Amino acid sequence: MKAIYACLLAAAGVMSAGAVQADEALAKSKNCLSCHAVDKKVVGPAYKDVAKKYTAKDEAMLAEKVIKGGKGVWGPVPMPPNPSVTPDEANKLVKWILSLK
């Protein structure tokens, strides 16, 4: 029985790692990493800093900002809109970013 649980946990870990890689690939494909990095400020804030500041209750607001852009929260440089990002992609990106705590 313990072996079954261990296998299930291992499988869940592999699946989670795959999702994280897929969402990082999505960020690359949408050019998010041109202005952001996971662990350091580039033009915009580091994704780990975003994850520290926000929680799951902020997901909808953040997804909207991914698509429509924003300004003033992280300094004077505005984030441009990203109309090529779909709402589903924005939600995936936000969930990935918030998982980087």
Side-chain angles (χ1 to χ4, degrees), residues 5 37 39 42 98:
Y5 288 129
D39 57 356
V42 182
L98 294 180

Side-chain angles (χ1 to χ4, degrees), residues 34-88:
S34 297
C35 295
H36 298 276
V38 170
D39 57 356
K40 65 181 179 185
K41 178 180 177 15
V42 182
V43 175
Y47 284 147
K48 286 190 175 188
D49 291 337
V50 174
K52 287 178 192 173
K53 183 172 184 158
Y54 297 103
T55 65
K57 70 179 181 182
D58 301 308
E59 286 179 9
M61 178 270 299
L62 291 171
E64 185 175 336
K65 281 190 177 222
V66 167
I67 296 169
K68 294 183 177 179
K71 63 181 181 177
V73 175
W74 295 94
V77 179
M79 183 171 127
N82 296 288
S84 69
V85 177
T86 68
D88 183 54

